[in-house]
Amino acid sequence: MTSAPASASARTVLSSGLTAPKPIFDWFFALAGLSVLAVVVRAIYFTPIEALQGAAQKIYYIHVPSALGAYIAVGITALMSIVYLWLHDERADRLAEASAEVALVFITVVLTTGPIWAHKIWGAWWVWWDMRLTFTLFLWFIVAAYLVLRDGIEDAAMRGRYGAVLAILGALLIPFIHLSVYLFSARLHPMPVVLKPDKPSLPPEMLTTFLLAFVAFTLLCFALIRARYRIAVQRDLVTAFEGDGGSR
Amino acid sequence: MIDTTAEMIAGYVVAGLLFGGYVLSLWLRAHRVSKRLDAILSAASSRRASAAPPARRSR
């Protein structure tokens, strides 16, 4: 039996930051989608083909921005986890959960587009001794474990606390992933061509496409997190109205 | 230059499927949860309406 909307649990949820449901897909989502579409068209049709690798090098314009989007999403998860542990604010926990799910999608894109590119250029789908590959796979497992852990814990406070600790530990991998090409001599990944102390070594047209792709995928990352957060808000409202606080 | 057009297409298609699939899953979840929320709110509002005292007839 469902309780009335003015039930104690519903009032608690509403007072803890849940507001009236907002549209999941709005102008920001449309802007992000159109930006990504425009960048893909620019990358495929209006960006020069790399002399040695051919067209496969254009995977770079989705592979690297997706990796950076994953870093941002995992970073938000870790930051919100710290906020949750500090303030016990359910909004922070909800945002951490939303970002983690989006991070998993972005890392999956990185881990699938990379091998497609590598197969032709390196002659191998995967090499375990390339630490950037292995650490990125490790990060994927940590983010997946975070989501599975959250799904398996009924009590909301315990779910938030355990998840937060795992998320903070997982985010510590990011510097190692980025710096792995400097730290390990045995590697197939090239040294950074843009995110390095010196000037970017990409030709101007390629650099422009990359920077636009970075902006578009960052927008997409934020739009997906926002949409996923709003779903979580509605889900928690339903849970509160139905009167079973911690269950999913 | 080697011909790697097939790899480029495969990379973009795979990324498109992954992002598209995720957006579809978000849409389905949003649809499901908003339907549940609407049902709860309309049930509550009809309960409130039936529980309210009859309005006084004005002279």
Side-chain angles (χ1 to χ4, degrees), chain B:
Chain B
M1 192 198 306
I2 50 174
D3 182 17
T4 53
T5 312
E7 281 73 19
M8 180 196 76
I9 294 168
Y12 278 78
V13 167
V14 164
L17 286 174
L18 285 167
F19 282 126
Y22 183 62
V23 170
L24 183 66
S25 93
L26 282 181
W27 184 81
L28 287 172
R29 278 186 281 175
H31 184 66
R32 204 171 52 216
V33 79
S34 70
K35 255 176 72 176
R36 276 175 69 194
L37 193 58
D38 285 347
I40 290 168
L41 291 176
S42 65
S45 103
S46 64
R47 256 202 312 277
R48 243 199 333 262
S50 65
R56 276 191 189 168
R57 191 181 294 169
S58 60
R59 298 202 170 186

Side-chain angles (χ1 to χ4, degrees), chain A residues 119-232:
Chain A
H119 176 61
K120 197 77 175 190
I121 305 305
W122 295 347
W125 295 98
W126 190 275
V127 281
W128 290 102
W129 44 264
D130 185 299
M131 284 301 124
R132 183 170 274 183
L133 283 177
T134 308
F135 282 162
T136 307
L137 183 65
F138 194 29
L139 183 65
W140 187 93
F141 276 114
I142 289 176
V143 177
Y146 170 87
L147 293 168
V148 171
L149 177 80
R150 290 187 61 94
D151 210 40
I153 300 176
E154 286 288 316
D155 180 63
M158 191 185 284
R159 180 173 62 228
R161 207 165 53 242
Y162 286 4
V165 172
L166 185 57
I168 293 163
L169 292 175
L172 295 178
L173 259 181
I174 291 176
F176 287 99
I177 294 173
H178 189 70
L179 298 174
S180 58
V181 288
Y182 297 105
L183 297 172
F184 300 95
S185 54
R187 59 183 167 74
L188 280 176
H189 264 94
M191 297 300 266
V193 289
V194 178
L195 294 175
K196 57 177 185 169
D198 320 334
K199 269 178 67 180
S201 39
L202 271 182
E205 281 170 309
M206 290 183 175
L207 182 63
T208 307
T209 304
F210 170 75
L211 293 175
L212 289 172
F214 171 63
V215 171
F217 278 78
T218 305
L219 277 177
L220 182 69
C221 178
F222 285 125
L224 288 172
I225 292 172
R226 192 160 169 262
R228 179 61 182 76
Y229 177 83
R230 288 182 172 181
I231 292 173

Side-chain angles (χ1 to χ4, degrees), chain A:
Chain A
M1 185 179 154
T2 56
S3 56
S7 69
S9 56
R11 274 202 303 274
T12 309
V13 172
L14 287 166
S15 65
S16 72
L18 287 178
T19 52
K22 290 177 180 166
I24 306 298
F25 302 111
D26 56 1
W27 64 270
F28 186 62
F29 200 92
L31 176 73
L34 287 175
S35 306
V36 169
L37 210 62
V39 155
V40 166
V41 170
R42 181 185 161 97
I44 294 176
Y45 295 106
F46 302 103
T47 305
I49 295 174
E50 208 265 346
L52 294 173
Q53 300 185 23
Q57 184 271 339
K58 293 187 177 195
I59 291 175
Y60 174 79
Y61 305 115
I62 48 171
H63 179 74
V64 179
S66 296
L68 297 175
Y71 291 173
I72 291 170
V74 172
I76 292 173
T77 305
L79 190 68
M80 288 302 111
S81 298
I82 293 168
V83 172
Y84 177 74
L85 289 178
W86 185 20
L87 301 175
H88 302 289
D89 188 332
E90 285 179 13
R91 286 173 297 182
D93 185 46
R94 215 175 284 131
L95 187 52
E97 179 201 9
S99 302
E101 200 179 282
V102 172
L104 192 71
V105 177
F106 273 77
I107 302 170
T108 308
V109 170
V110 174
L111 288 176
T112 47
T113 53
I116 292 170
W117 186 8
H119 176 61
K120 197 77 175 190
I121 305 305
W122 295 347
W125 295 98
W126 190 275
V127 281
W128 290 102
W129 44 264
D130 185 299
M131 284 301 124
R132 183 170 274 183
L133 283 177
T134 308
F135 282 162
T136 307
L137 183 65
F138 194 29
L139 183 65
W140 187 93
F141 276 114
I142 289 176
V143 177
Y146 170 87
L147 293 168
V148 171
L149 177 80
R150 290 187 61 94
D151 210 40
I153 300 176
E154 286 288 316
D155 180 63
M158 191 185 284
R159 180 173 62 228
R161 207 165 53 242
Y162 286 4
V165 172
L166 185 57
I168 293 163
L169 292 175
L172 295 178
L173 259 181
I174 291 176
F176 287 99
I177 294 173
H178 189 70
L179 298 174
S180 58
V181 288
Y182 297 105
L183 297 172
F184 300 95
S185 54
R187 59 183 167 74
L188 280 176
H189 264 94
M191 297 300 266
V193 289
V194 178
L195 294 175
K196 57 177 185 169
D198 320 334
K199 269 178 67 180
S201 39
L202 271 182
E205 281 170 309
M206 290 183 175
L207 182 63
T208 307
T209 304
F210 170 75
L211 293 175
L212 289 172
F214 171 63
V215 171
F217 278 78
T218 305
L219 277 177
L220 182 69
C221 178
F222 285 125
L224 288 172
I225 292 172
R226 192 160 169 262
R228 179 61 182 76
Y229 177 83
R230 288 182 172 181
I231 292 173
V233 168
Q234 292 196 8
R235 178 204 63 203
D236 289 354
L237 261 178
V238 167
T239 307
F241 279 125
E242 288 176 348
D244 54 346
S247 67
R248 296 265 134 168

